[in-house]
Amino acid sequence: MRVLVVEDEKRLAENVARALRESAGYAVDIAGDGEEGLYLAESSNYDLMVLDLMLPKLDGQSLLTQYRKKGHATPVLVLTARDEKENVVRLLNEGADDYVSKPFDLGEFLARAKALVRRGKGQRSPVLSVADLQLNTIERTVKRGQKEIALVPMEYRVLEYLAHRPRAVISKSELLEHLYDYNWEKFSNVIEVYISGLRRKIDSNYAVKLIHTVRGHGYVLRPERERT
Ligand code: CA
């Protein structure tokens, strides 16, 4: 997953980004003003936008209005200051999905951020299942049947992205764009490495395979019995 944080208070932006990277395993881009925020939001596909209201150049409310007017559906979590409470109703009506008031607890912020990412993909439960595979997105653990499977962090992130939309074919460039921040092009060869690691750990001992390559199109997570 990839998140855009639009926040001009540098330290807060960095704390929020670190929490999203370390505790949720998300890739994070930071914009320090509203114009840059809108530009980035429109030029990349994000899974979540975290939006401050008081911003230089273009305020958060205007950014949100312009962004939604153009039809972008990415969930938006607004950061409000205490004296902006009366704006909350207006923001929700303008297309914000949720908000947290500063100063906020990072644990609560993360829970709301993850819930919005899930809802943006049509998932409600924090435990994603495909056949007998289960991903617990809170604990970031993976099980097949009763067996716990240990993954390296990037393998987990690839699998989590696929598991949010099981049965959908997801291209390598979509994976790259959602798993890395600004410089994603340079990682283009590593996805295959993680996919083959995932296959080895998840599928190699089972007759029903879950991870498939659709040649020329990408990858898909769905149960398929091995052809004999
Ligand atoms: Ca601000």
Side-chain angles (χ1 to χ4, degrees):
M1 302 301 157
R2 184 171 171 195
V3 181
L4 175 62
V5 175
V6 190
E7 167 61 81
D8 59 317
E9 281 169 60
K10 219 167 174 234
R11 190 186 296 189
L12 179 61
E14 280 163 7
N15 284 341
V16 161
R18 190 179 316 118
L20 289 165
R21 286 185 185 119
E22 291 175 4
S23 303
Y26 296 165
V28 182
D29 297 337
I30 297 174
D33 66 63
E35 278 181 5
E36 188 192 7
L38 185 61
Y39 170 75
L40 287 177
E42 294 192 319
S43 51
S44 292
N45 281 311
Y46 290 98
D47 302 291
L48 174 70
M49 189 195 315
V50 176
L51 180 62
D52 183 37
L53 290 184
M54 293 275 280
L55 291 167
K57 296 188 184 170
L58 177 69
D59 66 271
Q61 171 100 45
S62 307
L63 189 165
L64 178 66
T65 306
Q66 291 187 39
Y67 186 62
R68 287 291 186 241
K69 209 174 266 174
K70 291 183 181 166
H72 297 285
T74 297
V76 174
L77 176 58
V78 170
L79 307 179
T80 67
R82 210 176 348 182
D83 55 359
E84 294 166 333
K85 271 273 186 187
E86 69 272 20
N87 290 337
V88 163
V89 173
R90 193 150 43 94
L91 282 162
L92 293 171
N93 286 336
E94 293 272 356
D97 297 272
D98 199 0
Y99 71 97
V100 284
S101 298
K102 297 180 195 174
F104 50 82
D105 171 64
L106 272 180
E108 182 191 343
F109 165 80
L110 278 169
R112 288 181 184 278
K114 286 182 171 186
L116 284 186
V117 166
R118 285 200 303 274
R119 268 175 21 212
K121 317 269 172 220
Q123 300 280 352
R124 299 204 164 259
S125 166
V127 178
L128 308 174
S129 324
V130 180
D132 59 347
L133 182 78
Q134 287 204 324
L135 264 86
N136 184 319
T137 61
I138 307 288
E139 297 169 355
R140 287 200 277 162
T141 54
V142 177
K143 269 185 176 177
R144 185 144 186 199
Q146 293 306 309
K147 187 174 175 274
E148 298 256 5
I149 296 168
L151 300 177
V152 301
M154 273 310 296
E155 287 170 347
Y156 175 82
R157 288 169 60 186
V158 170
L159 186 66
E160 188 191 71
Y161 194 82
L162 294 173
H164 271 91
R165 281 167 47 220
R167 295 183 168 75
V169 177
I170 293 173
S171 69
K172 191 167 92 173
S173 59
E174 179 175 343
L175 278 174
L176 285 165
E177 200 186 347
H178 287 262
L179 297 176
Y180 292 96
D181 48 26
Y182 306 106
N183 302 311
W184 58 269
E185 281 96 344
K186 70 176 183 228
F187 296 99
S188 63
N189 293 319
V190 300
I191 294 291
E192 282 95 344
V193 177
Y194 296 124
I195 291 281
S196 73
L198 284 169
R199 278 213 176 95
R200 185 163 36 77
K201 293 175 182 177
I202 287 169
D203 280 341
S204 63
N205 296 320
Y206 294 85
V208 174
K209 309 294 182 194
L210 299 177
I211 298 163
H212 308 278
T213 302
V214 182
R215 199 162 298 156
H217 294 280
Y219 305 100
V220 61
L221 192 62
R222 67 180 174 221
E224 259 175 44
R225 191 158 284 278
E226 201 171 14
R227 281 172 216 135
T228 50

